[in-house]
């Protein structure tokens, strides 16, 4: 490590230490809407309550687990946690008896991650990236291997893991041109961190090339593990049941971000007022459903809808979990539940990709394809560039520039014969690119002896 890199990491660590009180205050405030953020908060500093320490000790003394390797997987939020699901399953098949240490940074990730736990597995928060917190975390758990999902390069995590001899792998790795340029501005800090990775398992050839430019020395291309996520049949049936209860075709605004809902609702009002009648009568005009990405914004988005003079039905209020009379009379449905994204896609005739109509890089569109939902995306899909391009090439999606164009395109898809063809194309597209989890598990096999 050069003197410049050492000074950069020390300055970074000092900055994080000074910001720690504000970080914890922000978590506490966020916990008002999502109480899980306040749970076990000392773990954010690498400090563990007696009950959790007892779990660690029990796992170490359990005869069935004492000699099993502990694989640490960090999945920051919901998307990464869902992506980790097929990878964890493939790892368990490769190494029967493997123990899992699962860490997260968000409440949605933590909640979804519980379904991945078995036996002597552990789950906690990833500590704040200060040297002391990371050191306490690693010494408390002593993992045999660390797997960071997608984009999580933390300088002190990687430095301290290297000091303790824990090999670190970036799995399902992606790096956009924008992120590469930003990383190069802080090369003294981030390049040594990237170089310390034992391996990066990239989604695409383009990601692999950018990761090498960022400083990762060992890179393999394995594909995108999100293609291996199979939607739960129960959720698909639930969504189809919602659609069957309604005479109106559903246009889904999927995983929207701040600012997008306002623009969409502006255009929806104009579009809806001028909607061409053919072949719709009043009872069969498309219905808008909005599913925001962040649950703490559900109430905010609800206010945006009603402020537009539109009647609203929230998924959380449906009697019996099915659209009731009030829902069927409403102009807009708000998807304010967690863990039902597959149901929302199954209910919709077409989806508009959130995060792609503002310069935010888009969202994972693979789940929509697996559910057979045609996708209309905006101009900004740089975080999922290859998946977006391949879906368009396969006929599963189309690209437009604005919400006005997106609504016109959605209208066209619904009222013509394109929709069944796009459903079939979406499902075939998702199926064709499966297998990344197995490839990643085989690549990680070289570390079992560590």
């Amino acid at each position: 490590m050069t003197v410049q890199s050492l000074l950069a990491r020390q300055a970074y660590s000092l900055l994080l230490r000074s910001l720690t009180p504000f970080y914890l205050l922000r978590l506490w405030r966020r916990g008002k809407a999502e109480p899980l953020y306040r749970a076990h908060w000392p773990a954010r500093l690498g400090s563990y309550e007696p009950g959790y320490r007892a779990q660690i000790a029990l796992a170490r003394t359990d005869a069935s687990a004492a000699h099993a390797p502990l694989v640490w997987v960090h999945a920051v939020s919901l998307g990464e946690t869902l992506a980790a699901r097929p990878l964890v399953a493939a790892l368990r098949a490769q190494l029967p008896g493997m123990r899992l240490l699962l860490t997260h940074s968000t409440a949605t990730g933590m909640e979804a991650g519980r379904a991945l736990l078995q036996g002597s597995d552990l789950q906690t928060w990833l500590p704040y990236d200060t040297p002391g917190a990371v050191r306490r975390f690693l010494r408390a758990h002593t993992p045999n291997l660390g797997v960071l999902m997608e984009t999580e390069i933390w300088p002190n995590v990687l430095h301290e893991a290297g000091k303790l001899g824990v090999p670190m792998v970036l799995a399902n790795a992606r790096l956009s041109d924008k992120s590469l340029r930003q990383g190069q501005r802080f090369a003294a800090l981030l390049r040594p961190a990237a170089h310390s990775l034992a391996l990066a398992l990239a989604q695409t050839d383009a990601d692999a090339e950018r990761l090498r430019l960022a400083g990762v020395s060992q890179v393999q291309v394995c594909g995108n593990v999100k293609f291996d996520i199979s939607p739960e049949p129960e959720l698909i049936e639930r969504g189809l049941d919602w659609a069957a209860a309604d005479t109106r075709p559903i246009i889904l605004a999927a995983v929207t971000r701040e600012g997008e809902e306002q623009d969409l609702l502006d255009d929806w009002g104009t579009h809806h007022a001028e909607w061409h009648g053919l072949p719709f009568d009043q009872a069969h005009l498309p219905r808008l459903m909005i599913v925001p990405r962040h649950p703490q914004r559900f109430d905010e988005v609800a206010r945006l809808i009603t402020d537009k003079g539109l009647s609203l039905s929230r998924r959380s209020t449906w009697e019996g979990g099915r659209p009731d009379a009030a829902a069927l009379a409403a102009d807009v449905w708000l998807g304010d539940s967690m863990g039902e994204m597959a149901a929302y896609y199954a209910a919709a005739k077409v989806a508009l990709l959130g995060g792609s109509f503002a310069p935010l890089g888009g969202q994972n569109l693979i789940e929509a394809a697996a559910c057979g939902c045609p996708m209309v995306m905006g101009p900004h899909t740089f975080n999922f560039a290859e998946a977006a391009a391949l879906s368009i090439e396969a006929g599963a999606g189309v690209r437009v520039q604005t919400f006005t164009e997106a609504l016109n395109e959605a209208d066209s898809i619904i009222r013509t014969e394109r929709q069944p063809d796009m459903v079939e194309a979406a499902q075939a597209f998702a199926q064709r690119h499966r297998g990344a989890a197995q490839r990643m598990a085989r690549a990680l096999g070289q570390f079992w002896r560590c």
Side-chain angles (χ1 to χ4, degrees):
M1 178 182 294
T2 66
V3 173
Q4 184 182 18
S5 296
L6 176 61
L7 292 174
R9 191 169 57 80
Q10 289 177 339
Y12 163 79
S13 299
L14 180 62
L15 176 63
L16 289 190
R17 287 192 188 101
S18 67
L19 293 176
T20 295
F22 302 98
Y23 167 75
L24 294 175
L25 178 61
R26 179 175 176 270
L27 285 177
W28 197 256
R29 287 176 174 171
R30 193 165 181 180
K32 185 176 181 180
E34 297 176 82
L36 189 54
Y37 275 104
R38 296 181 178 181
H40 314 294
W41 67 265
R44 303 276 193 173
L45 303 177
S47 179
Y48 301 99
E49 299 158 345
Y52 184 75
R53 286 191 172 277
Q55 290 182 45
I56 297 174
L58 181 63
R60 287 176 176 163
T61 57
D62 185 347
S64 64
H67 302 291
L70 179 64
V71 178
W72 163 34
V73 176
H74 176 58
V76 58
S77 191
L78 177 62
E80 292 83 2
T81 304
L82 294 177
R85 186 170 63 191
L87 178 58
V88 168
L91 288 172
R92 292 193 196 277
Q94 282 265 342
L95 191 67
M98 177 199 91
R99 291 181 296 139
L100 175 67
L101 167 60
L102 192 59
T103 61
H104 314 274
S105 298
T106 70
T108 54
M110 176 73 76
E111 190 169 359
R114 290 170 180 160
L116 302 183
L117 303 178
Q118 299 179 8
S120 300
D121 293 345
L122 299 165
Q123 185 185 37
T124 187
W125 300 112
L126 180 74
Y128 205 29
D129 196 36
T130 56
V134 170
R135 196 157 45 242
R136 289 188 291 272
F137 164 78
L138 289 169
R139 288 177 176 173
H141 296 93
T142 60
N144 299 93
L145 171 66
V147 180
L148 308 175
M149 296 298 296
E150 299 203 357
T151 61
E152 296 294 297
I153 296 180
W154 294 101
N156 283 320
V157 165
L158 291 167
H159 178 74
E160 296 296 332
K163 286 171 61 177
L164 293 175
V166 180
M168 298 297 295
V169 178
L170 189 64
N172 209 44
R174 58 183 173 88
L175 186 65
S176 67
D177 285 323
K178 180 181 178 181
S179 295
L180 175 61
R181 291 193 299 271
Q182 290 173 339
Q184 289 171 335
R185 292 171 55 197
F186 301 97
L189 176 66
L190 295 178
R191 190 171 185 83
H195 186 70
S196 69
L197 287 166
L199 178 64
L201 304 174
Q203 295 183 16
T204 70
D205 290 329
D207 288 315
E209 180 59 27
R210 287 189 286 265
L211 287 162
R212 293 186 185 99
L213 291 173
V216 183
S217 56
Q218 298 295 322
V219 184
Q220 295 181 33
V221 178
C222 292
N224 192 335
V225 75
K226 291 181 178 178
F227 282 106
D228 292 321
I229 301 172
S230 298
E232 296 178 23
E234 177 186 347
L235 290 176
I236 297 297
E237 288 300 320
R238 188 178 306 168
L240 293 175
D241 182 57
W242 296 346
D246 196 5
T247 61
R248 299 172 61 179
I250 296 168
I251 296 176
L252 171 66
V255 203
T256 55
R257 305 280 288 276
E258 187 171 4
E260 289 187 312
E261 297 96 355
Q262 182 68 60
D263 291 342
L264 170 60
L265 289 167
D266 288 343
D267 287 341
W268 178 264
T270 302
H271 193 88
H272 201 264
E274 300 175 352
W275 215 300
H276 301 292
L278 297 175
F280 304 123
D281 58 33
Q282 191 65 34
H284 294 83
L285 287 173
R287 184 191 306 281
L288 179 63
M289 176 187 281
I290 301 177
V291 181
R293 178 179 181 180
H294 298 118
Q296 67 269 24
R297 297 190 59 245
F298 288 160
D299 290 343
E300 173 193 343
V301 176
R303 286 192 296 271
L304 289 175
I305 294 168
T306 55
D307 286 349
K308 286 291 180 183
L310 298 168
S311 56
L312 168 68
S313 176
R314 299 177 66 144
R315 158 70 182 97
S316 59
T317 67
W318 291 356
E319 294 287 342
R322 194 169 190 262
D324 51 21
L328 297 176
D331 297 314
V332 181
W333 290 353
L334 177 63
D336 61 345
S337 63
M338 299 300 297
E340 289 191 316
M341 202 64 230
Y344 293 127
Y345 282 127
K349 289 291 187 182
V350 61
L352 316 182
L353 181 65
S356 71
F357 291 90
L360 300 168
Q363 301 292 337
N364 171 27
L365 53 82
I366 297 169
E367 185 177 12
C371 296
C373 184
M375 181 65 67
V376 180
M377 64 196 78
H380 307 289
T381 54
F382 52 81
N383 284 335
F384 304 91
E386 181 165 287
L390 290 173
S391 71
I392 294 170
E393 181 182 331
V398 294
R399 188 187 299 281
V400 297
Q401 297 301 308
T402 66
F403 274 121
T404 296
E405 293 177 12
L407 292 172
N408 286 332
E409 190 68 31
D411 185 2
S412 173
I413 290 170
I414 291 172
R415 64 161 85 199
T416 66
E417 296 300 317
R418 296 170 60 194
Q419 202 268 348
D421 292 339
M422 292 185 74
V423 168
E424 184 177 343
Q427 292 171 331
F429 162 69
Q431 183 65 33
R432 189 160 55 246
H433 294 279
R434 295 172 66 88
Q438 295 295 333
R439 290 188 287 272
M440 290 182 193
R442 287 195 295 269
L444 292 170
Q446 64 185 284
F447 298 105
W448 292 150
R449 292 186 297 275
C450 295

